[in-house]
Amino acid sequence: MAKLYGVGVGPGDPELLTLKALRILKRVPVICVPKSRYDSDSYALSIVRDVIDTKRQEIVPLVFPMSKDKDVTKKFWDESARIIEGKLKAGKDVACISIGDPLFYSTFIYVLENLKERLANLEVVVIPGVSSINASAASAILPLAKANERVAVLPATYEKDKIRDTLRDYDTIVLMKINKVFDEILAVLKDMGLKDKAVFISRCGTVEEMIVRDIETLKGKELDYLSMIIVRKHVY
């Protein structure tokens, strides 16, 4: 059977693609690209568009709706796995591209789990990518950890009390998926005296990149989905 590749394409800057990712993406006959809707563009595809050859390679969209309804999402994961299974059984290597890293908050994880249930002899290679956390820290010139410091990464949509516990117990805290709950998180940070230790980063590595250190100026605004807050307690 052919081989499945999970390829991390980084946070947005094509120059952050690894050499291995470039080599695989130029070679494989099938490239699967994630989309949130059938009629939407693929952000991951936009990163690698200049690398691939659409005349020679087949681009297969996989739809992963942004829904918390597991019945809804499972339907799309099953459909994506079925499509990939067909390509692999036809003897075609398949690369599934993912923003950032394929094994870090990525839809590739769910497809991989599904395919492992379908194909006993599935051969998988994962090419790690630059995560949005590392890229954002680099853009903001914000060290994530040194010596014995501890780092926590969690969705900002997590339970508020547990977010407070994490903010209290760790040295650096990365809050992902911040856009829908920013005002709530801002209130927590202010209450804990951490507002001035927080930096907001969105669309890192792109022409739309935004870094905001006075995060209160973002209160009440509509924020991009590709956003995070890094709270660094100990300024270097």
Side-chain angles (χ1 to χ4, degrees), residues 42-63:
S42 170
Y43 184 62
L45 178 60
S46 72
I47 298 171
V48 301
R49 195 178 299 277
D50 292 338
V51 172
I52 59 180
D53 182 355
T54 56
K55 294 180 180 178
R56 178 177 55 83
Q57 296 168 291
E58 181 183 4
I59 309 303
V60 179
L62 302 179
V63 177

Side-chain angles (χ1 to χ4, degrees), residues 14 45 53-54 66 72 90 102 111 137 140 154 163 169 172 174 195 205 226 228 230:
L45 178 60
D53 182 355
T54 56
M66 294 180 185
V72 171
V111 173
L154 67 163
I163 285 182
D169 295 340
T172 301
V174 181
K195 178 179 72 72
L226 297 173
M228 71 176 67
I230 300 177

Side-chain angles (χ1 to χ4, degrees), residues 78-178:
D78 288 345
E79 174 64 11
S80 295
R82 184 190 63 77
I83 292 171
I84 296 170
E85 179 184 15
K87 302 296 181 184
L88 293 172
K89 285 183 174 179
K92 297 179 179 180
D93 286 347
V94 176
C96 291
I97 61 174
S98 299
I99 299 170
D101 183 88
L103 299 179
F104 188 74
Y105 288 121
S106 169
T107 51
F108 176 74
I109 299 170
Y110 302 104
V111 173
L112 178 59
E113 291 172 344
N114 195 309
L115 282 168
K116 282 184 174 181
E117 293 178 0
R118 293 168 177 265
L119 301 170
N121 59 340
L122 177 67
E123 188 175 358
V124 184
V125 175
V126 174
I127 293 90
V130 176
S131 77
S132 59
I133 295 172
N134 296 101
S136 294
S139 289
I141 318 297
L142 192 65
L144 289 171
K146 62 181 182 180
N148 62 345
E149 293 176 344
R150 297 190 303 161
V151 179
V153 179
L154 67 163
T157 51
Y158 203 53
E159 297 173 38
K160 192 179 295 185
D161 288 342
K162 292 184 178 179
I163 285 182
R164 284 180 176 271
D165 291 341
T166 305
L167 287 167
R168 183 186 65 245
D169 295 340
Y170 286 80
D171 302 286
T172 301
I173 306 91
V174 181
L175 297 172
M176 311 285 288
K177 304 177 182 179
I178 194 72

